Amino acid sequence: MIDVDQAIDQSYQQASEVETVARRLEARIEQIPGAKGFLPGRKYGTPVNFKAIQENLTLATLISRSDAALAHYCGLDASVKHRIDEQREVQNMRAEALRMQTEQLAARNRQARQDREARQSLASWQRGYRSV
């Protein structure tokens, strides 16, 4: 038979371990901007209520958008973060393509300006104009 004191100590140890895990999870969720106020309340020694997190649309969306691994751990759709990252990458690629096009157009404009200035410095008979 287990001694009562040992049972009490084991029970407290288990509750402490659960509390440690729950606090770490809550701390990771609190690092997400705006998520701190939406965490569900809980008693000491009880695990984080994932069902409450899933039912809170604001908190679930904040977690899904910021941390794919945490979203998966909480039972949320982890693909949201991946889609957002893909969209950002596509936007960055578009911006880079536009920047390159702008640089090419600027180079063409500089060359055209230099050609015009060179023609302007020539005499009228060298430019191919008739002076009658």
Side-chain angles (χ1 to χ4, degrees), residues 11 17 31 36-37 41 44 64 73-74 76 78 80 82 86 88 94 102 106:
S11 174
E17 290 172 5
Q31 290 176 351
K36 186 174 184 176
Y44 180 87
S64 295
Y73 184 77
C74 292
L76 303 171
V80 173
H82 295 294
E86 288 172 359
R88 284 187 182 143
R94 279 191 208 140
T102 303

Side-chain angles (χ1 to χ4, degrees), residues 47-84:
V48 174
N49 187 354
F50 292 117
K51 184 172 169 94
I53 290 175
Q54 293 167 357
E55 291 174 353
N56 186 335
L57 293 178
T58 305
L59 182 58
T61 302
L62 288 170
I63 292 171
S64 295
R65 287 183 169 202
S66 346
D67 191 345
L70 181 60
H72 178 73
Y73 184 77
C74 292
L76 303 171
D77 185 12
S79 66
V80 173
K81 174 73 169 139
H82 295 294
R83 286 193 303 256
I84 290 172

